[in-house]
Amino acid sequence: MIRSENLRSGYIQDDVEEYLYGLLPERDAVIEEIECYAAEHRVPIIGPAVARLLTLLGQVSGATRIFEMGSAIGYSTIWLARAAGPKGKVFYTDGDPANAERAKKYFKQAGVAKRIDVQVGDALELLKKTPGKFDLIFNDVNKNQYPDALRVALPKLKRGGLFITDNTLWSGKAARPAPPDDVHTLGVQEFNRLVYESKELYPVLIPLRDGVTVCRKL
Ligand SMILES: C[S@@+](CC[C@H](N)C(=O)[O-])C[C@H]1O[C@@H](n2cnc3c(N)ncnc32)[C@H](O)[C@@H]1O
């Protein structure tokens, strides 16, 4: 079942999308609660299909030190923290303190609060000043900031680490000419160009939901 309209890609046929979401197993109580809250209050979250991809990539790569840029109410953070395991550390960041308060409540409910470091402020600045490098960085900030997010994230990623970015098809608008004032589409388009031009990254854009770009640092 597709709970929120924001989970629809805008470019995949409705019946195909319903089918894809219909295959997904039920989530546990806290994840269900966040999905319902997000649907009711129109909080954009990655949703369960992309969350499973994050989990898979986190587990397969063995990532334990993870930085998330743009965490909202902590939905994707919980999936990342679970993938990282009990010895993992996930840095939550969001500009809105009310989001962080709600997220903290969910982290306790999910039993992962101890592995999450909650930081409020600009995710790009917070990433710059957090010491050390990361196994995995997940980027979900404002889309006009994507090129800058890439520039900040790259030096903070370990060699072999994963840089994962959501919304890289942006309802399909990334594929079409954008008006000069559509800064979000222009940001996504520039980001997509930059990652595929980069000599430091091996990117794959996966057309799942709104598009997810997975880059491995070479
Ligand atoms: C799409 S939502 C994140 C959803 C979250 N990743 C999830 O799937 O559960 C984007 C969030 O990023 C935050 N945000 C956007 N730009 C930001 C920035 N530069 N620094 C910190 N937070 C930012 C917004 O407040 C918003 O809550």
Side-chain angles (χ1 to χ4, degrees), residues 175-217:
R176 301 176 200 119
D181 61 345
D182 186 352
V183 293
H184 296 288
T185 302
L186 291 169
V188 170
Q189 289 174 332
E190 190 188 342
F191 173 89
N192 288 339
R193 261 195 314 275
L194 289 171
V195 292
Y196 275 98
E197 275 169 16
S198 171
K199 300 266 182 290
E200 286 181 86
L201 293 172
Y202 188 88
V204 177
L205 198 171
I206 302 170
L208 178 66
R209 195 187 70 110
D210 203 20
V212 184
T213 295
V214 182
C215 301
R216 183 163 191 260
K217 185 169 173 179

Side-chain angles (χ1 to χ4, degrees), residues 6 12 15 24 29 32 43 47 52 68 73 83 90 99 103 105 107 122 125 138 143 146-147 165 187 193 198 211 216:
N6 100 294
I12 297 173
D15 58 340
L24 303 180
E32 289 267 343
V43 180
R52 288 178 69 86
E68 183 176 44
I73 56 174
V90 180
N99 278 346
K105 174 178 99 76
F107 297 158
D122 181 69
E125 293 305 317
F138 176 52
K143 311 313 153 195
Y146 272 18
T165 297
R193 261 195 314 275
S198 171
R216 183 163 191 260

Side-chain angles (χ1 to χ4, degrees), residues 57-131:
L57 291 168
Q59 288 175 342
V60 166
S61 67
T64 53
R65 196 158 194 271
I66 297 175
F67 197 98
E68 183 176 44
M69 309 171 78
S71 306
I73 56 174
Y75 179 82
S76 47
T77 325
I78 292 175
W79 288 83
L80 287 168
R82 286 178 170 169
K87 293 203 176 113
K89 181 64 129 189
V90 180
F91 290 78
Y92 161 109
T93 63
D94 203 274
D96 182 343
N99 278 346
E101 283 314 304
R102 176 162 290 276
K104 281 189 210 167
K105 174 178 99 76
Y106 293 137
F107 297 158
K108 280 199 195 112
Q109 277 174 247
V112 291
K114 285 210 177 93
R115 23 186 133 143
I116 299 173
D117 185 322
V118 175
Q119 304 193 7
V120 177
D122 181 69
L124 284 70
E125 293 305 317
L126 291 168
L127 177 55
K128 271 192 235 170
K129 67 181 188 204
T130 304

